[in-house]
Amino acid sequence: MEKFSLPGFLRGLGKIIGARPQVPRSLENNDMLTTLLERRSIRKFRSEPIPDEIWTAILEAGRLAPSTVNLQTWSFITFTDRQWQDRFGRALPFGAPRAVVVAADVHRARRVVEGFPYAPLCEYTVGVMNASLAAMNMNAAAEALGVSSCMLSETGQTGFYDARHLSEALELPPGVVPIMSIVYGYAKTGRPAMPPKLPLEAVAFAGKYQEAPQEVLDDWYAQMKAGYQASNWGERFAGQIAHYNRRIEDAEKDLREMVFYESEEFRE
């Protein structure tokens, strides 16, 4: 059982509250940079609908994202709150009025590209990489238009942990793998604090890979635990990790079948 340390909790929480994006003074007024660096995941939305023209612009940003060899290996399955309720039998998470299930899609490319080889790891990697770029493009566009978002990997059976469930519910063909859902809407509360981020020197290296100092990693992890405990009072971050660990085995099996076509269902 993980022990709760009040001093450690307060230190970690203090660092989260005081954290700010590190931007050169000469670039502080750049609108695009501010949009990207100030974006936060929002988990409480107003019931106010997103106007159709704004929603279309968000999807257009995803459509025009960069992709490997311009293959555009993504598909976006969109929902209103009513459509989500009808399809999944439950409300959209966090009271959001709109959602997109983002899927890595090599099925479409296979239909038109001659001699497409059986290369499941490359297919899946390219599909996920491109679809993730499109997802971030949509999130950035939404933020620029005053619309908040939250990427879901599991909440309410919405992400890659529930790939088979989503695949069956959305009637996805082989070669289309759901990787995340994103909910969109107008924030009900103010912008939350910046979540714990590793310092730039721990993730960006000149010329070759370098190991981040252990104390830097330990400090970041302490902030992660403090932040989780502050937003989920009475719970421990270790409990959340244990929850994910319990789900990994089934998710791994389902994804393996979908990516490698290991079951008869996906070979047909």
Side-chain angles (χ1 to χ4, degrees):
M1 178 68 69
E2 181 184 21
K3 293 183 179 180
F4 176 74
S5 167
L6 182 59
F9 168 75
L10 293 176
R11 281 195 302 272
L13 192 59
K15 289 186 176 182
I16 293 173
I17 294 173
R20 298 289 184 276
Q22 302 301 303
V23 181
R25 187 175 298 276
S26 61
L27 300 177
E28 287 180 346
N29 295 322
N30 183 285
D31 290 340
M32 183 62 180
L33 191 59
T34 298
T35 296
L36 292 173
L37 299 184
E38 294 295 331
R39 186 207 160 270
R40 302 287 182 269
S41 293
I42 298 298
R43 292 176 173 83
K44 288 184 180 180
F45 294 98
R46 306 198 303 267
S47 58
E48 178 183 350
I50 301 172
D52 288 342
E53 62 270 21
I54 290 181
W55 183 241
T56 299
I58 291 170
L59 296 176
E60 181 72 352
R63 184 179 78 90
L64 297 183
S67 65
T68 305
V69 200
N70 198 33
L71 286 176
Q72 303 161 62
T73 52
W74 51 60
S75 281
F76 316 131
I77 301 94
T78 69
F79 294 89
T80 62
D81 51 354
R82 172 61 65 181
Q83 289 169 334
W84 187 276
Q85 179 73 46
D86 292 344
R87 175 62 62 178
F88 296 108
R90 56 184 177 274
L92 267 172
F94 312 134
R98 291 274 195 171
V100 176
V101 176
V102 181
D105 186 350
V106 297
H107 167 76
R108 187 171 51 243
R110 279 186 168 279
R111 292 179 56 192
V112 295
V113 178
E114 296 181 2
F116 207 95
Y118 174 71
L121 279 180
C122 288
E123 290 178 28
Y124 183 66
T125 300
V126 167
V128 170
M129 177 175 65
N130 292 338
S132 297
L133 289 170
M136 195 62 228
N137 249 32
M138 289 191 285
N139 282 2
E143 194 75 12
L145 295 169
V147 176
S148 297
S149 63
C150 186
M151 186 278 289
L152 309 175
S153 60
E154 188 214 27
T155 306
Q157 294 185 300
T158 55
F160 69 92
Y161 276 93
D162 297 286
R164 181 178 290 278
H165 165 75
L166 288 173
S167 179
E168 292 172 352
L170 301 175
E171 304 176 16
L172 303 180
V176 183
V177 181
I179 59 174
M180 72 180 81
S181 296
I182 310 174
V183 293
Y184 293 93
Y186 295 101
K188 194 173 185 178
T189 57
R191 189 187 305 275
M194 188 172 75
K197 298 293 184 180
L198 288 163
L200 188 60
E201 59 270 20
V203 299
F205 321 117
K208 66 175 183 178
Y209 184 85
Q210 299 176 42
E211 293 285 0
Q214 189 63 44
E215 60 269 22
V216 171
L217 300 180
D218 291 341
D219 181 61
W220 164 76
Y221 194 61
Q223 292 178 54
M224 290 283 287
K225 292 188 288 186
Y228 183 82
Q229 289 165 198
S231 58
N232 301 272
W233 193 250
E235 299 183 25
R236 298 286 183 268
F237 189 57
Q240 184 67 12
I241 296 298
H243 167 73
Y244 282 122
N245 287 345
R246 286 191 295 270
R247 304 209 54 213
I248 282 176
E249 185 174 351
D250 289 340
E252 176 75 14
K253 179 177 180 294
D254 290 344
L255 281 172
R256 187 177 295 276
E257 290 180 355
M258 296 174 74
V259 172
F260 291 95
Y261 308 93
E262 288 186 350
S263 72
E264 291 301 320
E265 172 188 355
F266 290 106
R267 286 185 182 276
E268 294 176 358

